Amino acid sequence: DYIISSQSFYCGAPGLDAGSLFYSIVDKTLNGGMGDVVAGSKWIPLDTGLTEKAIAVRGNRCNVWLIVHSRDSALFKAYEITYRGINPVPVVSAVGISGYVASRGVNAFWTSGQLAISPDRTRLAAGYAEGGVLELYDFDPNTGIVSNPVVLNNSRDNGDYPYGLAFSPDSKKLYAYLAMVKVNSNGIGTIFQYNLTQPTTQLIIKTRKAIATGFAHSQLKLASNG
């Protein structure tokens, strides 16, 4: 959904709420082998009341976990995808920090920001831009469970809005883009590095160092060359 003049508009399947999750089924043999959406299998609703956070993670059983986050509570949902299709009953992990940020009558604490998974698939990171929080978790690719939350940044009052995230190729470092909204109204911010090999949360936080600055509000992604 998007906002124009304080009014919320939904740009998706008609008659459904913003924050909804859909899927379509593609048959790769259609359209001369180019693939196409199967007739009657487009905009299939799966869930509602979600944030913009979504990431697909390879599981350990020839499966994929689609991880999303609730818009209304500290709740992760992991939908399992196999050759049979999508299991409509997710693995639910009630975990992580809670807060409240008023935005047009709703709580926007968890709404904005990116999810990132480490290359070894054992750690998940989430940026809660409106809440000013950067949080790190353990992830189990066998079960889809998210656990052991660790807060690496909690500074909305200081103007640090964590948004974009990416892990290093060896899964030992986390990169986070923090927009300095209260300093720069245009959202220009800095990319920071955290060393995740430290034994305690406090020591991980102490390793934080600026890598680059002057970038606009954005997501991050590890390049194919590392």
Side-chain angles (χ1 to χ4, degrees), residues 142-171:
N142 289 300
T143 64
I145 292 175
V146 180
S147 61
N148 299 326
V150 171
V151 175
L152 298 182
N153 185 89
N154 190 351
S155 57
R156 185 176 189 270
D157 290 340
N158 297 328
D160 295 345
Y161 284 43
Y163 196 93
L165 302 169
F167 286 87
S168 61
D170 61 6
S171 302

Side-chain angles (χ1 to χ4, degrees), residues 83-96:
Y83 71 92
R84 297 183 182 91
I86 301 177
N87 185 343
V89 180
V91 174
V92 176
S93 300
V95 63

Side-chain angles (χ1 to χ4, degrees), residues 107-188:
N107 186 5
F109 184 89
W110 301 279
T111 301
S112 301
Q114 186 180 355
L115 286 181
I117 192 76
S118 60
D120 65 7
R121 300 171 295 136
T122 64
R123 279 177 157 171
L124 180 74
Y128 304 116
E130 293 297 330
V133 170
L134 168 60
E135 203 161 33
L136 181 69
Y137 314 85
D138 290 338
F139 178 73
D140 187 344
N142 289 300
T143 64
I145 292 175
V146 180
S147 61
N148 299 326
V150 171
V151 175
L152 298 182
N153 185 89
N154 190 351
S155 57
R156 185 176 189 270
D157 290 340
N158 297 328
D160 295 345
Y161 284 43
Y163 196 93
L165 302 169
F167 286 87
S168 61
D170 61 6
S171 302
K172 295 180 180 180
K173 296 181 180 66
L174 174 66
Y175 296 91
Y177 170 83
L178 273 65
M180 309 301 184
V181 176
K182 290 191 176 182
V183 177
N184 305 287
S185 60
N186 55 6
I188 299 300

Side-chain angles (χ1 to χ4, degrees), residues 52-86:
E52 67 177 358
K53 295 173 172 59
I55 192 170
V57 182
R58 177 174 58 86
N60 287 343
R61 304 191 306 269
C62 295
N63 61 338
V64 170
W65 297 104
L66 173 61
I67 306 173
V68 294
H69 195 282
S70 170
R71 183 181 58 195
D72 304 312
S73 61
L75 200 75
F76 286 96
K77 298 180 181 181
Y79 286 94
E80 187 175 22
I81 305 170
T82 69
Y83 71 92
R84 297 183 182 91
I86 301 177

